Amino acid sequence: MENFNSKANGKCEWFMPDAFYPVKDNGDYVSHEAVCVLNTGDEDAIIEITLYFENKEPRSGFTAVCPARRTNHIRMDKLKDINGDGVERGIPYAIYIKSNTPIICQYSRCDTTQSELSFMGLIAY
């Protein structure tokens, strides 16, 4: 099996400028977003997350871990900061990810606000 443990596989900073956690859910399935992380390295990735907003100061204090050679789907609706506060619903925001080791990030959104569910996934910058 090929070893992908290389600094070329990922980077330590990622940006997702179009995040939004809807207020409304439709039925039993909850709208949510996720920052999907892939860590191909031999070191656990310690991830710091900062949220940016249109009309207020950024919020930091969110953290996650992606173990070495693993993935972690960081659900934004379950993420809490150091004070135990979650991501606010109904407010557009952007996500800044900083990791101690190179990782690869993808952003996805599942919108259940309508009976026809929608899903969006994209590679972060």
Side-chain angles (χ1 to χ4, degrees), residues 19-31:
F20 183 77
Y21 181 25
V23 175
K24 176 184 167 187
D25 296 316
N26 187 9
D28 294 331
Y29 201 65
V30 177
S31 292

Side-chain angles (χ1 to χ4, degrees), residues 29-51:
Y29 201 65
V30 177
S31 292
H32 66 274
E33 302 171 297
V35 174
C36 307
V37 178
L38 170 61
N39 180 359
T40 62
D42 292 328
E43 179 183 354
D44 290 354
I46 310 302
I47 300 165
E48 299 174 14
I49 302 169
T50 302
L51 308 181

Side-chain angles (χ1 to χ4, degrees), residues 24 34 37 51 70 81 90-91 103 107 109-110 115 124-125:
K24 176 184 167 187
V37 178
L51 308 181
R70 299 289 186 269
D81 65 15
I91 299 173
I103 56 175
Y107 169 80
R109 177 186 305 155
C110 180
S115 58
Y125 171 80

Side-chain angles (χ1 to χ4, degrees), residues 45-82:
I46 310 302
I47 300 165
E48 299 174 14
I49 302 169
T50 302
L51 308 181
Y52 287 85
F53 303 92
E54 293 176 355
N55 298 316
K56 62 181 180 175
E57 291 300 309
R59 284 184 60 201
S60 58
F62 298 94
T63 60
V65 175
C66 185
R69 299 175 309 282
R70 299 289 186 269
T71 65
N72 183 0
H73 293 71
I74 304 166
R75 287 270 304 256
M76 300 304 285
D77 59 318
K78 297 182 179 188
L79 188 66
K80 304 288 183 203
D81 65 15
I82 56 175

Side-chain angles (χ1 to χ4, degrees), residues 76-102:
M76 300 304 285
D77 59 318
K78 297 182 179 188
L79 188 66
K80 304 288 183 203
D81 65 15
I82 56 175
N83 299 318
D85 297 322
V87 176
E88 295 175 70
R89 295 181 85 157
I91 299 173
Y93 64 99
I95 303 168
Y96 168 58
I97 300 287
K98 184 175 182 180
S99 174
N100 65 314
T101 189

